[in-house]
Amino acid sequence: GIAPRPNREQGFAKTRFINRRALTSRSRHGIPRTPIGLAQYNGRKLVARIVLVADDSPTIQKRALAILKNEGFEVETVSNGVAAIKRLAVLHPVVILADVSMPGRDGYEVCDFVKKSPELSHVPVLLVASDMEPYDDAKGAQVRADGIIKKPFEAHELISLVLKFAGQFEAETIRLPASPIVPPQPQE
């Protein structure tokens, strides 16, 4: 017979969805993919192409998830900066999208944490801004943000930026030694 599907209550981890369409040679937007699709070989093992999306808007989270998953990325979403920093202890994203205005720590603070961390400083951070949450050029330069994207974003714009920065990250990662990431202690 067919064994029942294990669930989280039984102690099994949630399995990740693999988008088979993402393994094709070209995307529907005409942007070439990596030869392997979901993963890149870094000399030791295949690593997932994870994008961390930190935004307090469920609409933006869902939109980014749908667009990037369709392009072969695994997407992790969090709704505030504190949760984003905690997730960085266990995730190894190729790109981070951080909203400039969210509860806890904003995108500038998340970017500052990433760029000051020796283990994470090579991870590209794109700050997400809107007309209601304007981007501060001086603050962005101070925290060394890699780029900005305005919301609501177009699919082709998000895909092209993420692919560009993911490619740069993967090129650098091949040369970097692996080291553990230690999350910061909560400040009270």
Side-chain angles (χ1 to χ4, degrees):
I2 298 175
R5 177 179 250 173
N7 61 33
R8 292 187 124 176
E9 289 79 30
Q10 295 171 326
F12 293 94
K14 183 173 125 179
T15 57
R16 292 192 177 191
F17 169 76
I18 296 176
N19 187 343
R20 298 290 178 205
R21 276 184 29 197
L23 298 176
T24 60
S25 62
R26 293 188 64 78
S27 73
R28 31 180 222 152
H29 301 288
I31 301 167
R33 294 201 171 102
T34 62
I36 303 172
L38 290 177
Q40 185 74 27
Y41 184 70
N42 74 356
R44 293 177 295 235
K45 62 180 180 174
L46 289 174
V47 292
R49 299 182 81 199
I50 300 170
V51 176
L52 176 62
V53 178
D55 198 307
D56 57 336
S57 166
T59 305
I60 294 297
Q61 287 181 6
K62 288 176 188 171
R63 180 147 171 78
L65 177 72
I67 292 168
L68 294 172
K69 213 164 207 173
N70 195 37
E71 293 301 312
F73 289 95
E74 290 186 30
V75 180
E76 293 283 333
T77 60
V78 293
S79 59
N80 63 65
V82 174
I85 290 171
K86 285 181 182 176
R87 292 295 293 150
L88 288 171
V90 293
L91 283 181
H92 301 287
V94 294
V95 175
I96 299 169
L97 299 174
D99 187 10
V100 296
S101 175
M102 59 182 163
R105 292 186 170 192
D106 63 21
Y108 300 109
E109 292 172 293
V110 171
C111 183
D112 191 45
F113 171 81
V114 169
K115 297 304 179 179
K116 286 182 178 176
S117 169
E119 300 86 13
L120 296 169
S121 62
H122 60 286
V123 177
V125 179
L126 299 174
L127 295 176
V128 181
S130 71
D131 291 334
M132 295 189 319
E133 305 161 348
Y135 178 72
D136 183 339
D137 289 323
K139 239 178 163 177
Q142 180 183 359
V143 298
R144 296 178 289 149
D146 294 285
I148 63 165
I149 186 166
K150 291 278 191 177
K151 57 182 176 180
F153 39 75
E154 296 294 325
H156 63 86
E157 179 186 18
L158 178 64
I159 293 164
S160 113
L161 278 173
V162 169
L163 285 175
K164 172 187 169 186
F165 287 106
Q168 289 174 1
F169 168 82
E170 289 164 347
E172 288 179 24
T173 308
I174 291 171
R175 296 185 299 248
L176 294 175
S179 60
I181 299 170
V182 180
Q185 297 300 318
Q187 298 174 351
E188 303 214 13

